[in-house]
Amino acid sequence: QLQLQESGPGLVKPSETLSLTCTVSGGSISSSNYYWGWIRQPPGKGLEWIGSIYYSGSTYYNPSLRSRVTISVDTSKNQFSLKLSSVTAADTAVYYCARHSSVTTGNFQHWGQGTLVTVSS
Amino acid sequence: QSALTQPRSVSGSPGQSVTISCTGASSDVGGYNYVSWYQQHPGKAPKLMIYDVSKRPSGVPDRFSGSKSGNTASLYISGLQAEDEADYYCCSYAGNYSLVFGGGTKLTVL
C-alpha cells in the first residue's frame, strides 16, 4: 500500500528557506505512470497547488510561486523535496505531498498526512 | 491564475441531494475535461472523489457524481449521509502545465 510521509522543520524564520521532504513507501517513485506534487493549505483556508515533479526531474510550478520554489527528486532514496525561499508569514500552512497520474490532471489519489510549517521569528 | 469560485457553504438534510458548483474560465474549467473534486474532513488530508470531470475512483460511492457545463463544474451528492459533512474542493488544469484549486465549500448535513 502506497504511503507518503512529509518531514522537515515545523518552524522557519521569515526570509529563510523552507525545506521539506516526502518519503514514498510501498511503491517506486521512479514509476513512469506518476507525478509527485506538493500542495499547501494555510490554517482555515483552501488548498493551493505548489508544483509537481516527474521521476526524470521534469518540474512544473504554480506561476505565482515559481520564483521561490524548487522541487527535486532523489530516486535512490525514493524521496522528493520542496524548497521555498524568502518565506513570510503568508507561507504558514499545512504542506502535503501527493501522487497524481498526470501533470494535466489533478487526480491526486494518494496523499501524505500533511505537516504544519509555521513562519515566525 | 485565480482560484476557482465555489460557494462558501451548502447544506442539506439526510437523504436529500446537494450540488456544489465550481466556476472558472475558458482557460481552465471550460477549456479542459480535467476537473477533480476532493473531500476533506477536519484535520485530515483531502480524499479524491471525482476526476476527469465525472470519473469515480474505486471505493467512492456512486452517490457522488460530477459534471461540467461551460466554465462551471458541479459535484452532485445524492442520498446525503452524516459522514458526507466535510469541506469540498474542486481542482482544474489551467494550461501551461499548471493546476488551480477552488476556494472550498463547507457541506453541512442538517
Side-chain angles (χ1 to χ4, degrees):
Chain A
Q1 181 178 346
L2 187 75
Q3 292 188 321
L4 295 86
Q5 178 69 56
E6 306 89 351
S7 60
L11 181 64
V12 181
K13 290 182 168 57
S15 80
E16 295 189 345
T17 296
L18 178 161
S19 296
L20 294 174
T21 295
C22 182
T23 300
V24 178
S25 58
S28 174
I29 203 168
S30 298
S31 170
S32 59
N33 297 325
Y34 301 108
Y35 291 72
W36 306 90
W38 289 97
I39 301 100
R40 70 179 181 178
Q41 185 172 35
K45 297 188 178 181
L47 300 169
E48 180 179 34
W49 174 71
I50 300 170
S52 297
I53 191 166
Y54 191 55
Y55 78 96
S56 64
S58 296
T59 51
Y60 311 88
Y61 298 136
N62 185 323
S64 66
L65 297 169
R66 183 188 307 274
S67 64
R68 297 194 293 130
V69 174
T70 302
I71 298 176
S72 59
V73 64
D74 186 337
T75 55
S76 66
K77 295 182 178 178
N78 228 31
Q79 296 176 332
F80 63 106
S81 299
L82 168 70
K83 290 188 185 301
L84 181 65
S85 64
S86 305
V87 297
T88 69
D91 295 309
T92 293
V94 174
Y95 285 75
Y96 295 99
C97 59
R99 187 186 83 173
H100 57 134
S101 59
S102 166
V103 72
T104 56
T105 63
N107 48 337
F108 295 97
Q109 192 157 13
H110 294 277
W111 294 67
Q113 65 186 24
T115 187
L116 174 63
V117 179
T118 301
V119 178
S120 174
S121 55
Chain B
Q1 57 192 18
S2 301
L4 306 175
T5 300
Q6 298 181 231
R8 277 186 167 263
S9 64
V10 298
S11 62
S13 299
Q16 289 187 333
S17 301
V18 296
T19 300
I20 299 173
S21 62
C22 170
T23 301
S26 58
S27 56
D28 40 59
V29 174
Y32 311 94
N33 289 322
Y34 296 136
V35 176
S36 52
W37 289 90
Y38 298 85
Q39 176 191 67
Q40 186 181 36
H41 288 109
K44 300 295 186 181
K47 175 186 176 183
L48 179 67
M49 303 303 284
I50 296 287
Y51 68 98
D52 294 355
V53 175
S54 60
K55 297 177 182 177
R56 264 189 320 273
S58 174
V60 173
D62 59 7
R63 301 186 295 105
F64 292 83
S65 61
S67 64
K68 191 188 82 167
S69 177
N71 296 339
T72 297
S74 298
L75 174 68
Y76 180 76
I77 309 172
S78 63
L80 270 179
Q81 299 181 4
E83 58 262 36
D84 298 336
E85 184 163 296
D87 293 326
Y88 291 84
Y89 295 90
C90 61
C91 177
S92 174
Y93 179 58
N96 293 318
Y97 301 111
S98 66
L99 298 165
V100 61
F101 279 93
T105 298
K106 181 177 179 57
L107 169 62
T108 300
V109 180
L110 302 170

Coordinates of all heavy atoms in Angstrom, one line a residue, chain B residues 40-45 85-87 106:
Chain B
Q40 N -12.6 16.8 2.3 CA -11.7 16.9 3.4 C -12.4 17.0 4.7 O -13.1 18.0 4.9 CB -10.7 18.1 3.2 CG -9.6 18.2 4.2 CD -8.7 19.4 4.0 OE1 -9.2 20.5 3.6 NE2 -7.4 19.2 4.3
H41 N -12.2 16.1 5.6 CA -12.7 16.2 6.9 C -11.7 16.9 7.8 O -10.5 16.9 7.5 CB -13.0 14.8 7.5 CG -14.2 14.1 6.9 ND1 -14.1 13.0 6.0 CD2 -15.5 14.4 7.0 CE1 -15.3 12.7 5.6 NE2 -16.2 13.5 6.2
P42 N -12.2 17.5 8.9 CA -11.3 18.4 9.7 C -10.0 17.6 10.2 O -10.1 16.5 10.6 CB -12.2 18.7 10.9 CG -13.5 18.7 10.3 CD -13.5 17.6 9.3
G43 N -8.9 18.2 10.0 CA -7.6 17.6 10.4 C -7.1 16.5 9.6 O -6.1 15.8 9.9
K44 N -7.8 16.2 8.4 CA -7.4 15.1 7.6 C -6.9 15.6 6.2 O -7.2 16.7 5.8 CB -8.6 14.1 7.4 CG -9.1 13.5 8.7 CD -8.1 12.6 9.3 CE -8.7 11.9 10.5 NZ -7.7 11.0 11.2
A45 N -6.2 14.7 5.5 CA -5.8 15.0 4.2 C -7.0 14.9 3.2 O -7.9 14.1 3.5 CB -4.7 14.0 3.7
E85 N -20.6 15.2 5.6 CA -20.3 16.6 6.1 C -18.8 16.8 6.1 O -18.1 16.1 6.8 CB -20.9 16.8 7.5 CG -20.7 18.2 8.1 CD -21.6 18.5 9.2 OE1 -22.8 18.6 9.0 OE2 -21.0 18.8 10.3
A86 N -18.3 17.7 5.3 CA -16.9 18.0 5.1 C -16.7 19.2 4.3 O -17.7 19.8 3.8 CB -16.3 16.8 4.4
D87 N -15.5 19.5 4.0 CA -15.2 20.6 3.0 C -14.9 19.9 1.7 O -14.3 18.8 1.6 CB -13.9 21.4 3.5 CG -14.2 22.2 4.7 OD1 -15.3 22.7 4.9 OD2 -13.2 22.4 5.5
K106 N -18.0 24.3 2.4 CA -18.3 23.6 3.6 C -19.8 23.0 3.4 O -20.7 23.7 3.3 CB -18.3 24.4 4.8 CG -18.6 23.7 6.1 CD -18.4 24.6 7.3 CE -18.7 23.8 8.6 NZ -17.9 22.6 8.8

